[in-house]
C-alpha cells in the first residue's frame, strides 16, 4: 500500500477550498489520469489535519505520494503500534513479578489474568492446559498459554546456565513472553487492518494509536483471537474465502467471537447472492475448528468442555446491563438468588432471545439498506450488539471491536471518544475492586462508568447505522470515487440479489 506498482504517484490535488477547509472537509478527489494511490488523511479528517500542524501542516498541494523509501504507511503504523505497546508494558510492569502485595494490581491499574493463572493452571510446573489441568478458555488460547510458559522456562534455564542473563521469578519470565507474543498479535492486527482498508492505509494508525490497546493489550489473551479475526477479514478482502474461513475458524478456537463474523458475512452474501462463496468460507472455518478441538476433546473431554459448562453456569458479569438490573432489584430479578455453580436458566434464555433479536434487526438493516452495507459496518454492529446484550463483557472483550470499528467508521473523534470511556471504566473498575475501605469507589460509580461506556458504544453503533442508511455519509465511500467496499472481497461491486423493499421480498434477476 506504500506506492503504486509502477512507481510513485503523480502529485495529488486537494479539494478546491484547500486542505484546511474544516470542520466539514470535502473528499480528496484524484486528478484525471494517474492520481494519488491513497486517501490523504490531512485533507479529509479534521483530527489528522490538526495533528499534522505539529509536523509542518497538511499534505501539500503539489506533494507527491509514494516516494518514501522506508517510512511507508505500513512502517509508520507499525511504529505507532510499537510505541503504544511499549507504554502499555510500562503500565503493566509493576505487576510483572507476581508480587501483588498491597493490592498493587489495583492501585497501579496493572491487573492481568495471565499472572495469577500461571500458578493456578500449573504452568509453573510444566503442566499442559487441558491434558494436565482444566482451563476455562478455548483450545488455542490454552496452546498460547503453553507456548508462553515454554518460552519463559527456556529463558529461566538460559539465565541459570549461562549466568549472563538476569534471573527473574518464573512468573515474570512467563509474563514477559506472553506480552511479547501479544505484541506480535497487535502488530499483525494493525497490518491486517491496513490490508483491508483499500485506499485508506492510514486507518491502521487508529489501531496503532488506540487508547484501548494501551489499556487492555496485556489484560488477557484476546489479542490472539483479534489478530486471527482481522487476518480473516483481510483474506476475505483479498478474495480468498477459504483462507478467510480457516483463519476465522482458528480465531473461534481461541475465542468464540470470530464466529460472529461468519454471521455478518452470511447476511451480506445473502443480499449479494454469493452464498456459495460464503459456504466455502464456512466449511473451511468449521474444518479448522474441528482440527484444533477434536483431538483435545477426545483426549481430555472433561477439561475441554469446561469452557462451555462455565459459560452456561456463570452469572451475569459485573459490567453488564443484566447485572445492573439484578443489583437494582436486590438480587430478586430473573433467576433470583443462585447457589454456587447453579445455572441461571432464565438469564440464559433472555440472553439467547436478545442475541436473536440483534441478528434479526441487523438482517433487516442489511436487506433493507439502500446500498449493501460494507463488511466492516455489519461486523461491527453484530459484535457490538452481541456484547451489549450478552451476560459476559470482560474488560478486554472491547478489543474485539477495535479493528471492526476502524473498518466500519474510520473517524478519529468518535473512535477516541468511545475508547476514552473504556479507559475510564478500567480505572473505575480497579478502584471498585480495591474497595471503599482502601480508598476505592463504590458500586454506584462503577455502574455509572459502565453506563457511560455502553452509551458510547450505542452512539457509535448509531453513527454506523446512519452511514448504512445514508451512504453519502460513509467516509470510506465518499473519500474515494467509485469505491464500494475495500474489505468486501467477493462482495465488492456485486449487484443485489435479495433485498427488502416496501415490506416485500424482491428477488432481482442477476445476470
Amino acid at each position: 500500500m506504500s506506492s503504486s506498482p509502477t512507481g510513485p504517484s503523480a502529485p495529488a490535488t486537494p479539494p478546491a477550498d484547500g486542505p484546511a477547509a474544516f470542520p466539514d472537509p470535502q473528499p480528496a478527489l484524484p486528478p484525471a489520469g494517474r492520481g494519488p494511490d491513497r486517501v490523504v488523511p490531512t485533507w479529509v479528517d479534521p483530527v489528522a489535519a490538526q495533528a499534522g500542524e505539529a509536523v509542518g501542516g497538511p499534505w501539500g498541494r503539489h506533494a507527491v505520494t509514494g516516494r518514501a523509501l522506508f517510512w511507508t504507511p505500513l512502517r509508520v503504523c507499525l511504529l505507532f503500534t510499537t510505541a503504544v505497546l511499549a507504554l502499555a508494558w510500562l503500565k503493566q510492569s509493576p505487576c510483572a513479578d507476581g508480587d501483588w502485595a498491597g493490592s498493587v494490581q489495583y492501585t497501579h491499574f496493572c491487573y492481568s489474568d495471565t499472572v495469577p493463572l500461571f500458578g493456578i493452571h500449573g504452568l509453573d510446573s510444566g503442566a499442559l492446559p487441558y491434558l494436565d489441568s482444566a482451563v476455562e478458555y478455548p483450545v488455542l488460547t490454552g496452546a498460547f498459554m503453553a507456548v508462553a510458559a515454554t518460552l519463559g522456562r527456556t529463558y529461566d534455564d538460559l539465565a541459570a546456565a549461562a549466568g549472563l542473563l538476569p534471573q527473574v521469578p518464573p512468573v515474570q519470565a512467563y509474563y514477559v513472553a506472553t506480552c511479547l507474543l501479544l505484541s506480535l498479535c497487535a502488530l499483525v492486527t494493525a497490518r491486517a487492518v491496513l490490508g483491508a482498508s483499500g485506499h485508506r492505509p492510514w486507518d491502521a494508525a487508529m489501531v496503532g494509536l488506540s487508547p484501548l490497546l494501551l489499556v487492555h493489550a496485556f489484560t488477557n489473551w484476546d489479542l490472539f483471537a483479534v489478530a486471527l479475526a482481522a487476518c480473516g477479514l483481510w483474506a476475505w478482502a483479498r478474495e480468498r474465502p477459504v483462507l478467510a474461513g480457516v483463519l476465522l475458524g482458528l480465531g473461534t478456537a481461541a475465542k468464540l467471537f470470530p464466529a460472529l463474523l461468519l454471521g455478518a458475512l452470511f447476511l451480506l452474501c445473502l443480499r449479494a447472492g454469493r452464498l456459495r462463496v460464503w459456504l466455502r468460507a464456512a466449511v473451511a472455518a468449521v474444518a479448522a475448528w474441528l482440527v484444533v478441538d477434536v483431538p483435545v476433546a477426545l483426549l481430555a473431554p472433561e477439561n475441554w468442555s469446561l469452557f462451555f459448562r462455565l459459560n452456561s453456569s456463570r452469572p451475569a458479569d459485573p459490567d453488564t446491563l443484566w447485572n445492573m438490573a439484578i443489583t437494582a432489584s436486590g438480587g430478586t430479578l430473573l433467576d433470583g438468588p443462585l447457589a454456587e455453580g447453579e445455572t441461571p436458566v432464565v438469564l440464559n434464555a433472555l440472553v439467547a432471545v436478545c442475541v436473536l433479536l440483534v441478528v434479526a434487526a441487523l438482517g433487516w438493516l442489511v436487506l433493507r439498506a439502500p446500498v449493501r452495507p460494507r463488511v466492516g459496518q455489519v461486523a461491527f454492529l453484530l459484535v457490538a450488539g452481541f456484547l451489549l446484550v450478552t451476560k459476559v463483557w470482560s474488560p478486554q472483550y472491547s478489543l474485539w471491536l477495535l479493528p471492526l470499528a476502524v473498518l466500519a467508521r474510520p473517524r478519529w473523534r468518535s473512535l477516541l471518544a468511545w475508547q476514552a470511556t473504556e479507559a475510564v471504566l478500567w480505572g473505575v473498575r480497579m478502584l471498585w475492586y480495591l474497595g471503599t475501605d482502601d480508598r476505592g469507589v463504590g458500586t454506584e460509580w462503577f455502574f455509572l462508568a459502565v453506563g457511560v461506556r455502553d452509551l458510547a458504544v450505542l452512539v457509535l453503533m448509531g453513527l454506523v447505522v446512519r452511514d448504512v442508511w445514508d451512504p453519502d455519509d460513509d467516509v470510506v465511500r465518499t473519500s474515494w470515487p467509485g469505491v464500494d467496499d475495500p474489505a468486501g472481497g467477493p462482495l465488492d461491486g456485486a449487484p443485489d440479489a435479495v433485498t427488502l423493499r416496501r415490506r416485500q421480498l424482491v428477488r432481482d434477476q442477476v445476470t
Side-chain angles (χ1 to χ4, degrees), residues 394-442:
S394 297
Q396 73 279 357
Y397 284 8
S398 298
L399 284 170
W400 303 355
L401 296 174
L402 179 57
L404 306 180
V406 170
L407 292 174
R409 195 173 192 273
R411 290 203 181 260
W412 281 98
R413 287 178 178 172
S414 55
L415 292 178
L416 290 176
W418 155 58
Q419 292 176 75
T421 67
E422 297 280 4
V424 171
L425 175 56
W426 177 246
V428 174
R429 185 186 187 108
M430 294 294 96
L431 294 175
W432 179 57
Y433 282 162
L434 191 62
T436 54
D437 292 339
D438 290 323
R439 293 183 293 181
V441 300

Side-chain angles (χ1 to χ4, degrees), residues 328-356:
S329 70
T332 60
L333 193 64
L334 303 179
D335 296 274
L338 294 171
E340 183 70 25
E342 185 178 357
T343 300
V345 178
V346 177
L347 175 61
N348 288 348
L350 281 176
V351 168
V353 170
C354 288
V355 170
L356 291 176

